Amino acid sequence: QVRLADSGGGAVQTGGSLRLSCKASGITYSTYCMAYFRQTPGKEREGVASILSDGTTTYEESVQGRFTISRDNAKNTLYLQMNSLKPEDTAVYYCAADPSPNGDFCYPPDDRYWGQGTQVTVSS
């Protein structure tokens, strides 16, 4: 059974930092592409950052240089270090897994491959 457990969200002020974590189970983690998405009310979920099994990373333009995605295959855990946070980063952040990425960004094949989400709130 696939399980992706999101954690690490919270409330910070503009310019602050947070580190999100995603603990994976039920998958061969080291072979999967992993990613973070985010969603705000009334908008579609958007990709934020992605990391392939070989460590190649891709970032959405607005977070480039501020966010860092990384993975620890020994711990089956994905991380998103978020620095210099802005109010527009406020969203629910979701971990995602993709066994067969087509390109450099992951898109989960079905609902099983999403975490439950964690809220990030950045105040001005």
Side-chain angles (χ1 to χ4, degrees), residues 27-35 50-57 69-80 106:
I27 61 173
T28 307
Y29 177 77
S30 63
T31 67
Y32 273 61
C33 178
M34 301 296 296
S50 179
I51 183 167
L52 297 177
S53 58
D54 67 0
T56 301
T57 57
I69 191 169
S70 62
R71 63 191 300 161
D72 185 334
N73 289 338
K75 295 181 178 180
N76 285 8
T77 303
L78 179 71
Y79 303 101
L80 184 68
C106 313

Side-chain angles (χ1 to χ4, degrees), residues 25-45:
S25 58
I27 61 173
T28 307
Y29 177 77
S30 63
T31 67
Y32 273 61
C33 178
M34 301 296 296
Y36 275 101
F37 289 69
R38 65 186 179 188
Q39 189 171 25
T40 54
K43 293 189 176 181
E44 290 192 1
R45 202 168 290 188

Side-chain angles (χ1 to χ4, degrees), residues 2-4 6 8 10-12 24 26 31 46 53 63 67 70 74 81-82 85 92 97-98 111 118 120 122:
V2 179
R3 183 164 187 262
L4 302 175
D6 283 310
V12 298
T31 67
E46 66 169 359
S53 58
V63 308
F67 291 10
S70 62
Q81 178 66 44
M82 305 186 295
L85 282 160
V92 178
D98 182 355
D111 289 345
T118 186
V120 172
V122 185

Side-chain angles (χ1 to χ4, degrees), residues 16 20 42 52 57 62 64 71 74 86-87 89 94:
L20 306 184
L52 297 177
T57 57
S62 70
Q64 182 79 42
R71 63 191 300 161
K86 304 175 181 180
D89 295 318
Y94 298 88

